[in-house]
Amino acid sequence: MKTFKTIALLLVGTVSSLLLMGCGEINTGTKTSAWEKETATIVLEEPKTEIILGDIGGASTLQEAIADFNSKNDRITITIHDYYEENTSDGISRLYDDILTGKGPDIISFSTDEMDVEVLREKGAIENLIPYLEKSDVIGEEDIVDSAYQVLTADGGLYMLPTNFVLYTLITKEKWCSNKENFTFEEALRAVRECEEDPMISRDLFLQEGAICGGYSGETEDNRLEQYIKIAEQLPQQAMFQTNDLLMREGKIPFNLECIGDMQQYLYKKSVWGEDAVYTGFPGAEGKGRIFIFDNCFAINSQSAHKEEAWKFVESYFTEEGQKTIAPNWNFSILQDVLDQQLSDSRKQEYYQTSDGKREKLPILTYEIGGTYENVYAAQDEDIQDVREMINNTKVMQRSDLPFIGITQEEALYYFNGEKSIEETAAAIRNKIDEMPNATNAQIDMDVVINIGDFSVSLYEGEQEILGKLDKMGLLYEKVEDSDNKKYDYYYNVGDGEAQFIQVYFLEKECVRIRISSNETFAHTSRGIYSGNTYSQMVEQYGDSYEKHTYIGKERYTIYRYALGECFHEFGIPGEATGEIYNVDVYVSGQMPIYDYGEEIVED
């Protein structure tokens, strides 16, 4: 379209000049001709690079940031793909599936209280952002709050970059917690047993957050598990919302889990709980039992073709202008200098003059408690110091992919219902945790997946589940019994009536092998390789650590086999060993294809 537009303008200019020549009106002197004037103003439009940003819910602040970025960049445009439909969890699942099957957005936007990117990191699906920080003129490691950076890079890389954070912390009274640095199991258990009212935290939430911050584990020698279950026993099954703030101030509620994102929240909750309020953490946990919840986080898809452009958008949040206009800095900033300013600003006390001329403090907020109104004023030095220590000592972040949490919650019910002793319950939990590697393997592994159009099928999936997907795609399939091949029971030829795309092989109604037999891009591996790609494209995505076999039959045929964790990817290239891929096979151990390629030759 760009070339056509240029030619059209040139033709218009040429015709105009010819007409002028025919009328004898062309100027042959030193003045600029009409044709020269027109062609001199031709400017070729540069094509825009479209960056897809995947999000759950499409926050208005994100939309504003994208609109601002697009208005200032002629060559890049950001487009939101909102994965939210009926609920957040389904949207997250769809986003995961797209990323792990090679169809994901360039940028992922999320908060750690709703989405965990650990599985994406483990699969190599998102970029390590440390190299981007190292060459950035806008933000570097030294600019980020150190305790937050240590948590974000605990696995050796930086796989998401948030702009802000809040803290999960417990709040209680001094009579229940004598030392805010260490809320002991004995104190927590005494508090929940002796208080007149139930806490506003449920059993499941207490067990969940306690596990996330390292309060207990499933290790045999770790008796903290039993102590957490005993405390949870005293908590309500469902979280209770308490409207009577006096119960907190009077110490009739043992403790509560608070989300502190700025100094005003810190001061308000401290005021409600009274002068003897104590911010503390979960018993027996790391980082004094508090948890980072990172907000407005960004990750970059490792398969994106526009990583630098994607980084440019992420980086825009950390410019001086971005911090003032688009960063959601009503929560604590991830940038140390901005956080310092936020804390410093919170101590600024404003005043007003009364009608009789007195100078009075202006409250930052007023609330009602017990039928009276109370004021909250600007922070004191000790308040700021307390918040700094809370931030600096936090060692973990919110997670949602720890499977042993669900195991603990499920098995603890038997103890709560009086069906098992605490010893039996703990033993059952530890036994199930010991078996977790098998359960973990059942999570989506990007290498066991084959993408077919808008759907994906994978090894280990059941027959009916796969056939259901094929039906939704409107694809045709034919079942083929093969009594000669004992490796599998049968397979399905799958196509659209005109072409055959794949074969799906089953053993005991479970998929054990998938073969791509069409050079259409409609079907490809999770790394984007399909029949028709080249050797160099294969190596680019899989590397050169393969097992190679070359055969001579009717023609030369080379097989490249990759061992990828729990499965194998195999690519066959006829003729030149570095030519075009003909067949693609993905299979589980023991399902290696049997073909008559001819005699294998050994190459030096």
Side-chain angles (χ1 to χ4, degrees):
M1 183 61 71
K2 178 176 67 178
T3 305
F4 174 79
K5 181 178 179 182
T6 306
I7 293 172
L9 288 171
L10 288 170
L11 287 173
V12 170
T14 304
V15 171
S16 299
S17 63
L18 289 172
L19 288 172
L20 288 170
M21 288 175 67
C23 296
E25 295 177 0
I26 190 166
N27 189 331
T28 57
T30 57
K31 293 182 179 180
T32 305
S33 70
W35 183 86
E36 290 172 320
K37 287 180 179 178
E38 187 163 0
T39 57
T41 60
I42 295 175
V43 177
L44 299 182
E45 294 180 1
E46 290 290 336
K48 282 196 171 187
T49 299
E50 184 181 30
I51 304 296
I52 305 299
L53 185 148
D55 182 51
I56 309 291
S60 60
T61 51
L62 178 63
Q63 295 172 3
E64 292 168 5
I66 288 174
D68 180 75
F69 181 85
N70 287 343
S71 70
K72 296 174 182 176
N73 289 272
D74 296 330
R75 297 186 180 183
I76 307 173
T77 183
I78 308 289
T79 302
I80 293 181
H81 181 163
D82 188 356
Y83 281 83
Y84 184 90
E85 288 185 10
E86 296 180 356
N87 58 65
T88 299
S89 60
D90 286 349
I92 292 173
S93 295
R94 284 189 290 273
L95 176 56
Y96 274 1
D97 287 346
D98 276 3
I99 294 169
L100 294 175
T101 55
K103 300 182 299 180
D106 300 283
I107 306 172
I108 304 108
S109 171
F110 59 97
S111 171
T112 55
D113 66 335
E114 63 182 17
M115 181 172 168
D116 196 319
V117 296
E118 184 64 16
V119 68
L120 300 181
R121 181 196 68 79
E122 291 175 349
K123 303 301 182 186
I126 51 179
E127 284 283 283
N128 179 3
L129 299 180
I130 289 179
Y132 295 83
L133 286 183
E134 290 174 345
K135 61 185 180 182
S136 174
D137 294 328
V138 175
I139 179 174
E141 172 188 342
E142 67 281 359
D143 299 312
I144 300 173
V145 173
D146 184 65
S147 57
Y149 188 79
Q150 297 306 318
V151 171
L152 288 165
T153 58
D155 295 308
L158 178 67
Y159 295 93
M160 63 177 175
L161 186 58
T163 63
N164 300 84
F165 66 88
V166 299
L167 292 178
Y168 253 0
T169 181
L170 293 179
I171 188 169
T172 185
K173 306 282 280 185
E174 284 182 359
K175 69 175 181 177
W176 304 127
C177 178
S178 59
N179 179 4
K180 68 178 181 179
E181 304 296 328
N182 181 23
F183 192 22
T184 67
F185 286 107
E186 292 76 14
E187 289 175 325
L189 187 58
R190 182 172 65 88
V192 294
R193 283 177 173 171
E194 295 182 11
C195 276
E196 300 176 17
E197 301 288 336
D198 285 334
M200 295 179 289
I201 178 173
S202 69
R203 290 171 173 173
D204 280 354
L205 185 58
F206 182 76
L207 291 173
Q208 172 183 300
E209 300 305 319
I212 289 170
C213 65
Y216 67 92
S217 69
E219 299 294 329
T220 304
E221 65 278 5
D222 186 358
N223 65 359
R224 295 177 301 168
L225 172 62
E226 287 89 337
Q227 297 183 74
Y228 261 87
I229 293 174
K230 287 179 180 179
I231 295 171
E233 181 187 14
Q234 307 297 320
L235 304 180
Q237 188 170 347
Q238 299 292 330
M240 306 292 293
F241 179 72
Q242 183 55 256
T243 57
N244 186 355
D245 289 345
L246 274 178
L247 295 176
M248 304 173 209
R249 182 168 292 183
E250 293 170 354
K252 294 179 179 178
I253 292 177
F255 52 76
N256 192 33
L257 180 61
E258 298 291 351
C259 189
I260 304 298
D262 61 21
M263 284 302 300
Q264 183 168 302
Q265 288 176 303
Y266 167 89
L267 294 168
Y268 167 59
K269 291 299 180 181
K270 181 180 178 181
S271 175
V272 167
W273 279 76
E275 294 181 357
D276 58 346
V278 174
Y279 280 103
T280 187
F282 282 84
E286 296 181 46
K288 303 197 175 157
R290 298 187 180 93
I291 302 168
F292 278 121
I293 298 179
F294 293 113
D295 186 34
N296 202 41
C297 305
F298 296 98
I300 296 178
N301 192 333
S302 60
Q303 297 188 57
S304 170
H306 309 293
K307 296 173 186 175
E308 293 297 333
E309 292 86 350
W311 170 251
K312 186 174 181 181
F313 171 73
V314 175
E315 196 179 47
S316 68
Y317 274 90
F318 301 98
T319 64
E320 184 175 350
E321 181 183 358
Q323 284 294 300
K324 293 177 181 177
T325 58
I326 60 175
N329 281 335
W330 49 83
N331 284 331
F332 292 129
S333 174
I334 202 74
L335 296 178
Q336 185 65 61
D337 60 345
V338 178
L339 175 63
D340 289 342
Q341 190 62 53
Q342 289 174 324
L343 297 180
S344 178
D345 288 346
S346 71
R347 67 157 60 93
K348 294 179 181 177
Q349 179 62 63
E350 295 185 0
Y351 294 84
Y352 70 96
Q353 196 168 33
T354 63
S355 57
D356 57 359
K358 291 183 179 180
R359 189 168 179 260
E360 298 285 350
K361 289 182 179 180
L362 184 68
I364 60 174
L365 65 89
T366 300
Y367 66 97
E368 183 181 3
I369 182 170
T372 63
Y373 289 94
E374 294 206 8
N375 295 325
V376 177
Y377 298 98
Q380 302 298 306
D381 288 345
E382 57 267 25
D383 297 319
I384 294 173
Q385 182 60 29
D386 189 26
V387 171
R388 281 193 188 279
E389 290 177 358
M390 289 165 63
I391 294 171
N392 293 340
N393 290 324
T394 301
K395 305 296 183 185
V396 295
M397 68 176 171
Q398 184 74 354
R399 299 283 304 276
S400 61
D401 70 337
L402 299 177
F404 79 86
I405 293 175
I407 293 172
T408 302
Q409 293 168 336
E410 180 181 339
E411 290 297 323
L413 283 173
Y414 293 104
Y415 173 70
F416 300 149
N417 295 335
E419 299 175 39
K420 289 184 180 180
S421 67
I422 188 67
E423 293 79 15
E424 291 171 327
T425 300
I429 291 170
R430 293 186 176 108
N431 288 337
K432 285 196 173 183
I433 290 175
D434 288 341
E435 298 170 359
M436 267 193 345
N438 295 328
T440 303
N441 287 339
Q443 295 178 358
I444 292 177
D445 182 331
M446 65 185 297
D447 286 323
V448 304
V449 172
I450 290 292
N451 186 57
I452 310 172
D454 293 330
F455 289 79
S456 61
V457 297
S458 66
L459 302 176
Y460 307 108
E461 264 193 298
E463 179 183 6
Q464 292 307 311
E465 185 175 357
I466 289 179
L467 295 184
K469 291 180 180 180
L470 298 179
D471 287 335
K472 288 181 180 179
M473 286 186 279
L475 294 178
L476 304 177
Y477 48 86
E478 176 189 16
K479 187 174 183 179
V480 179
E481 303 283 352
D482 191 349
S483 58
D484 294 332
N485 194 322
K486 302 303 181 184
K487 286 192 171 185
Y488 47 84
D489 298 327
Y490 48 84
Y491 66 93
Y492 287 87
N493 283 320
V494 181
D496 61 1
E498 295 182 3
Q500 181 176 289
F501 300 126
I502 62 171
Q503 291 83 43
V504 186
Y505 297 77
F506 291 91
L507 180 63
E508 297 181 354
K509 297 187 177 183
E510 185 177 80
C511 178
V512 294
R513 177 185 167 204
I514 307 169
R515 175 180 170 83
I516 300 176
S517 54
S518 169
N519 63 357
E520 298 290 334
T521 59
F522 187 68
H524 55 79
T525 71
S526 60
R527 304 193 187 195
I529 299 299
Y530 55 89
S531 176
N533 277 146
T534 63
Y535 168 85
S536 60
Q537 289 172 311
M538 175 191 77
V539 171
E540 182 179 350
Q541 293 299 323
Y542 287 83
D544 57 6
S545 297
Y546 47 67
E547 181 183 330
K548 180 181 176 183
H549 299 272
T550 303
Y551 303 86
I552 292 292
K554 294 180 180 179
E555 64 177 332
R556 181 188 181 96
Y557 205 88
T558 305
I559 292 294
Y560 297 93
R561 185 175 298 127
Y562 291 86
L564 302 171
E566 56 189 294
C567 70
F568 295 85
H569 284 203
E570 183 176 296
F571 305 93
I573 298 180
E576 287 293 327
T578 56
E580 188 175 285
I581 296 170
Y582 177 74
N583 71 283
V584 178
D585 271 286
V586 177
Y587 53 88
V588 302
S589 179
Q591 288 294 326
M592 187 179 299
I594 300 175
Y595 294 116
D596 184 11
Y597 295 124
E599 182 181 354
E600 183 170 4
I601 61 174
V602 179
E603 297 180 319
D604 294 331

